[in-house]
Amino acid sequence: MSRLDPLKPEDMPAAQRRYYDSIKNRPNNKDLPDGTPLTGPFHAWQRSPAFAEKLAVLEQYLRKDGLLEPRLLELATITVGRIWSAEIVFGSHGPAAVAAGIDSDIVEAIRRRETPVFEKADEAAVYNFTHQLTTAYEVDDATYQDALDVLGEDGLVELIGLAGLYVTASMTLNAFRIPVRPGMAPPYPDKQ
């Protein structure tokens, strides 16, 4: 159960309402009925709208205008989400990873905390770099070089930023015990 009560739009101060409206008006949320509380990390972040708005700029840049193609972006996202056992991150982005071109066997291996088998060198490089950085807090020379060869320095900076963004999202979800969205099955019942 969440540690946070839902916020009703009609009870929000103006800054919270602006943030609420910005998230609610995203294409993937347009079908939500008016007054529906935000879910996921947005549910917590809206309590600090100035912080939330800054994160939104970073998120939108990385996801819409950044250098990482959607396939690699979603792979890095689910890698971080699973390391942190953040159910909403994996529950939302696992299907998005498959839709973006990541093999479903890879997504399932990550969900089960198994080392995936990659046929594509760029996917292996992104997974290995993201996993190693997030779990060991650094990367070895070979892993660094593989990711650099695939992404270049600018792309590598963005991969690190994306991983950091989803560490922040995962920490938020876990700290506030924000459950999966209504109708979403928990992706890993073991929650480990």
Side-chain angles (χ1 to χ4, degrees), residues 55-140:
L55 279 181
V57 170
L58 175 61
E59 178 205 9
Q60 289 299 294
Y61 169 76
L62 290 170
R63 297 195 67 75
K64 304 295 182 199
D65 301 318
L67 298 172
L68 298 175
E69 65 175 273
R71 175 177 57 91
L72 300 177
L73 187 143
E74 295 297 350
L75 175 61
T77 300
I78 64 171
T79 300
V80 171
R82 186 54 178 126
I83 289 167
W84 280 86
S85 293
E87 293 183 316
I88 292 176
V89 173
F90 202 94
S92 297
H93 293 277
V98 173
I102 298 294
D103 187 279
S104 61
D105 290 340
I106 291 170
V107 174
E108 182 60 15
I110 294 170
R111 187 189 73 77
R112 291 189 315 258
R113 291 192 185 273
E114 298 170 359
T115 303
V117 176
F118 294 98
E119 292 182 12
K120 298 177 181 173
D122 61 349
E123 291 175 4
V126 165
Y127 172 82
N128 291 333
F129 185 93
T130 303
H131 191 274
Q132 195 173 112
L133 183 60
T134 307
T135 59
Y137 317 117
E138 63 182 355
V139 292
D140 61 44

Side-chain angles (χ1 to χ4, degrees), residues 29-53:
N29 293 332
K30 287 204 182 241
D31 294 335
L32 294 175
D34 288 338
T36 301
L38 296 180
T39 60
F42 310 112
H43 177 59
W45 292 342
Q46 76 184 91
R47 283 154 169 82
S48 178
F51 174 77
E53 289 170 1

